[in-house]
Amino acid sequence: MYVADSRADADPSAGGTTGIARSTARVSAVVAPTVFALGAVSLITDVSSEMVTAVLPLYLVTGLGLSPLGFGLLDGIYNGFSALVRLAGGHLADRGGGRHKWVAGIGYAVSAACKPLLLLAHTLTPIGLILAADRTGKGLRTAPRDALISLSSTPENRGRAFGVHRAMDTAGALLGPLVAFLILRATVDGYDAVFTMSFCVAVVGVLVLVLFVPGGKRTGEREPGGRGSGPGARERTAVEHPQPRPTLRAAFALLARRDLRRITVCALLLGLATVSDSFVYLLLQRRLGVPDRWFALLPVGTAAAFLLLAVPLGRLADRVGRWRVFLAGHGALLTAYALLLTSWHGTALPCAVLLLHGAFYAATDGVLMAAASDSVPEQLRSSGLALVQTGQAAARFVCSLGFGAAWTLWGDRTALMASAVALAVCAVFAFTLRPGRSVLEPVP
């Protein structure tokens, strides 16, 4: 499940098994147990959610006959509705001082409960409501979960910690479409079977969170230049140093911090030009004439690239600067858009596009949270991360609506070209508006 370090940690003469064991031990030594436990929860939950995500575009467009505009509306709800509740989830987690696990657990449980409801919905309105409820669960859990990861790591290894979590998360994203593909081929009522199995897997994820993720306490961390820590010190609680009770005013006041404000603005602008995964897969299917029965395998390519690159790029971000890696990831996405706009129809096209698509997520998803964590105090960590996530999710909601409307009015090629131009402009602006040295450079 994990990617070995880019540099060999073992003696060159050692056997392959020994080298892998030493590499794994080294990763475990710098990554807290909380991260691995949350990674297991995310892995299982992503198997469930990606089973649905992999078949949903085809189910809605082909099975229910929705137009690109109608699908854009639902896709925008699916990817952006969580923006409305992320701040609430982050604030609730911070106010409790130790509620991160339980707020995240409520979010996981809400999403799990939505899966069987898809069996009953066959029109736009009920499907939209169910997807909105599912994304509400995601919005509640994302900031508290990322806050737990951030609080259980030090600034020096935070990029790697998020990389390990995202790698485990993406292992689930890799397995989900494969499971959906096998179910569709093995059953008559394939979509119903996918939704049912997705619910069962989601319930397992909730149980793992309740039983194995530490909760009720806030972990300590070492500040840059501070003394002492190591894995044991990072896992010690800070109960003996109570923090002031966070408020919504204090959460929004975080935007007065220059670095966090710039990170939030840049994430929002770049999100406005980030075409959703579902549209990317639909574009590939149309370009290459991929049969419907193979459509569920397209997300596997993105997930495989994400899985392979998440840890190496997280480590690279710790070393050379998180913002540089973050912007480079958007460069990979822009290249993927450019390939989709060319006349190239070779069999290597999907491989190249999906590799770049996965590299984009590996260089941006966890890296953005690690960068934002550097600018947020511990007692407001969940709220601060939620601010960044809210801006990005809201922007991607707008992008899904706009891209679906542009596809309906002018065609998929024109819509993608407009998105590529917008992404290039936003990336240049984000480079000029980059945060300060604490985010641009590795932590000493």
Side-chain angles (χ1 to χ4, degrees):
M1 275 192 204
Y2 306 106
V3 180
D5 291 340
S6 56
R7 295 182 301 173
D9 294 316
D11 186 270
S13 62
T17 303
T18 304
I20 293 174
R22 291 181 182 178
S23 177
T24 303
R26 180 167 181 174
V27 172
S28 300
V30 297
V31 177
T34 299
V35 176
F36 287 107
L38 287 168
V41 175
S42 293
L43 187 157
I44 296 169
T45 303
D46 246 33
V47 171
S48 169
S49 61
E50 292 301 321
M51 286 173 63
V52 175
T53 302
V55 303
L56 196 61
L58 201 62
Y59 175 66
L60 296 175
V61 174
T62 302
L64 301 184
L66 289 183
S67 67
L69 177 59
F71 177 73
L73 175 62
L74 286 181
D75 189 70
I77 291 173
Y78 192 72
N79 290 292
F81 194 84
S82 61
L84 299 177
V85 294
R86 291 194 186 208
L87 283 174
H91 177 63
L92 288 174
D94 283 336
R95 281 183 66 87
R99 293 180 184 168
H100 296 85
K101 169 183 174 177
W102 302 111
V103 174
I106 292 171
Y108 281 111
V110 169
S111 294
C114 291
K115 299 299 189 297
L117 296 179
L118 289 170
L119 296 168
L120 308 176
H122 298 92
T123 57
L124 182 63
T125 300
I127 291 176
L129 292 174
I130 293 169
L131 295 181
D134 178 80
R135 294 301 90 180
T136 297
K138 181 176 177 61
L140 285 174
R141 70 180 183 250
T142 301
R145 180 204 65 197
D146 285 348
L148 280 171
I149 297 170
S150 174
L151 292 168
S152 64
S153 59
T154 64
E156 292 88 343
N157 67 18
R158 191 167 285 144
R160 181 187 294 198
F162 274 100
V164 167
H165 174 269
R166 282 352 188 224
M168 297 181 71
D169 180 270
T170 308
L174 184 67
L175 293 172
L178 290 174
V179 174
F181 170 74
L182 294 175
I183 291 174
L184 287 176
R185 289 183 64 89
T187 59
V188 177
D189 296 324
Y191 294 119
D192 289 352
V194 168
F195 299 150
T196 301
M197 181 61 70
S198 174
F199 168 69
C200 296
V201 175
V203 170
V204 175
V206 175
L207 291 176
V208 172
L209 175 77
V210 171
L211 296 175
F212 297 103
V213 174
K217 297 179 181 179
R218 184 186 296 278
T219 56
E221 68 177 32
R222 182 180 67 183
E223 295 299 328
R227 288 185 171 180
S229 39
R234 286 194 301 273
E235 290 295 308
R236 290 198 301 266
T237 64
V239 174
E240 65 273 15
H241 301 294
Q243 300 288 355
R245 191 172 180 84
T247 64
L248 282 175
R249 177 178 295 181
F252 283 104
L254 291 172
L255 293 176
R257 296 170 175 254
R258 187 189 65 170
D259 284 353
L260 185 65
R261 182 173 64 252
R262 291 187 175 186
I263 289 172
T264 304
V265 170
C266 291
L268 188 153
L269 289 175
L270 291 166
L272 288 172
T274 302
V275 177
S276 79
D277 301 355
S278 298
F279 277 124
V280 171
Y281 302 142
L282 286 172
L283 287 167
L284 269 177
Q285 186 202 31
R286 294 199 171 201
R287 283 285 307 276
L288 302 174
V290 177
D292 290 354
R293 65 182 181 275
W294 297 103
F295 181 84
L297 291 182
L298 291 178
V300 173
T302 297
F306 192 174
L307 174 63
L308 292 174
L309 296 173
V311 174
L313 290 180
R315 292 190 64 197
L316 182 65
D318 286 338
R319 293 180 178 181
V320 306
R322 288 155 191 160
W323 202 246
R324 296 172 185 171
V325 175
F326 179 73
L327 291 179
H330 285 85
L333 182 63
L334 185 60
T335 304
Y337 290 174
L339 289 177
L340 286 171
L341 289 169
T342 64
S343 57
W344 183 24
H345 285 78
T347 55
L349 174 65
C351 297
V353 170
L354 296 176
L355 174 62
L356 290 166
H357 200 223
F360 157 69
Y361 279 113
T364 59
D365 190 24
V367 171
L368 177 63
M369 292 297 97
S373 297
D374 295 337
S375 304
V376 181
E378 178 180 323
Q379 65 269 27
L380 291 171
R381 186 64 50 83
S382 187
S383 299
L385 297 184
L387 284 172
V388 180
Q389 294 166 355
T390 295
Q392 186 180 60
R396 290 181 176 178
F397 172 80
V398 173
C399 182
S400 287
L401 292 179
F403 191 86
W407 185 337
T408 301
L409 295 173
W410 303 306
D412 55 352
R413 185 177 180 84
T414 302
L416 184 60
M417 186 175 297
S419 296
V421 172
L423 180 60
V425 172
C426 291
V428 171
F429 183 79
F431 178 78
T432 61
L433 194 67
R434 61 190 182 277
R437 296 173 66 86
S438 64
V439 177
L440 278 173
E441 297 182 356
V443 178

